[in-house]
Amino acid sequence: IKAAGDLTNGESAPPQLSELKENLVDSLRELDHRFVITIDDVDRLEPTEVIEILRLVRSVVDLPNVIYILCYDSEILAQSIERAAGVRSGKAYLEKIVQLTAMVPQPEPLQLRQWFSEELHQIASVKNEDELSRLQLVIDHEGGRQLQTPRAVIRALDAIRFFWPPLREIQADLADLVWLQLIKDGNPALYRWIEAYCATFSAV
């Protein structure tokens, strides 16, 4: 950027923000190259952080050859905007910034379970058809309730990758691990009850 070098040449007054932006616009046009900036999981930020990101994007959205892609859950993001900005409609606020919205279709629950099952078989293997049948029953039953999003699938798989190697050494049951992990991710209160029950049963 042209103005960036001017800061070190002994000038008493730094360039104004408007001047810096003009120089940046000229430089981007001279490059004749398109930039795509992706900001993922915007809806997972704190409400005040959401507003900061949106204001930042709005301030630079008119830069030439720059495209911004924001990834978020519109319902959650609208609620964050309403809390942080004190507006009646977070969706209306968002529409003033986002020029084009592309709705990503939600994957079918069956697809999520199939994906989970395929990845799980890359992590661990079962000994016989009976264990395979029981494992699939767990995936269909508990997975049907807990594996509602791709994020839930990835989270469960990451946990199993971590816990299974040492448990495999003591010949633990894979289906039990999967079942407990799915409960732990989807219903922590029930998991804590199971944990307390098993500890009490073992002590007795």
Side-chain angles (χ1 to χ4, degrees):
I1 301 172
K2 296 177 181 178
D6 295 338
L7 296 176
T8 60
N9 62 5
E11 291 184 356
S12 57
Q16 297 295 319
L17 182 60
S18 58
E19 182 184 351
L20 289 172
K21 187 174 182 179
E22 289 177 3
N23 290 334
L24 177 58
V25 168
D26 293 339
S27 298
L28 288 171
R29 284 177 177 154
E30 290 174 3
L31 285 174
D32 192 25
H33 186 80
R34 181 167 294 181
F35 297 90
V36 178
I37 300 174
T38 303
I39 306 177
D40 197 8
D41 291 334
V42 180
D43 55 301
R44 301 185 71 184
L45 299 173
E46 293 294 326
T48 53
E49 295 173 332
V50 167
I51 296 299
E52 290 179 6
I53 289 294
L54 294 178
R55 288 174 177 169
L56 176 62
V57 171
R58 184 171 59 182
S59 67
V60 295
V61 73
D62 59 342
L63 292 177
N65 296 324
V66 179
I67 298 173
Y68 298 88
I69 299 178
L70 306 180
C71 305
Y72 54 84
D73 182 306
S74 58
E75 295 293 335
I76 297 176
L77 192 63
Q79 294 174 7
S80 295
I81 293 172
E82 291 166 6
R83 289 199 298 269
V87 296
R88 295 183 59 184
S89 175
K91 291 184 178 180
Y93 184 99
L94 196 58
E95 288 173 356
K96 297 178 180 178
I97 301 173
V98 178
Q99 298 176 343
L100 175 65
T101 300
M103 304 295 291
V104 178
Q106 290 287 343
E108 293 291 332
L110 178 60
Q111 292 178 319
L112 291 174
R113 294 198 302 273
Q114 288 177 338
W115 174 30
F116 178 83
S117 180
E118 291 171 0
E119 292 293 327
L120 179 64
H121 290 306
Q122 297 295 323
I123 300 171
S125 59
V126 293
K127 299 177 182 178
N128 51 56
E129 289 297 325
D130 290 340
E131 290 187 4
L132 179 61
S133 177
R134 183 166 174 268
L135 178 60
Q136 193 59 50
L137 180 64
V138 170
I139 295 173
D140 290 339
H141 177 74
E142 198 63 39
R145 293 192 293 181
Q146 308 299 353
L147 300 176
Q148 299 295 322
T149 64
R151 186 177 295 165
V153 174
I154 293 173
R155 183 179 180 184
L157 289 170
D158 285 345
I160 293 170
R161 286 191 183 95
F162 179 81
F163 289 115
W164 177 242
L167 291 175
R168 179 180 56 201
E169 298 298 324
I170 60 173
Q171 299 182 345
D173 187 87
L174 178 62
D176 282 349
L177 172 62
V178 172
W179 203 335
L180 287 172
Q181 186 59 48
L182 292 175
I183 292 174
K184 182 179 179 181
D185 290 343
N187 193 341
L190 176 58
Y191 177 83
R192 287 299 183 189
W193 182 89
I194 295 172
E195 191 176 48
Y197 178 86
C198 290
T200 303
F201 180 82
S202 178
V204 172

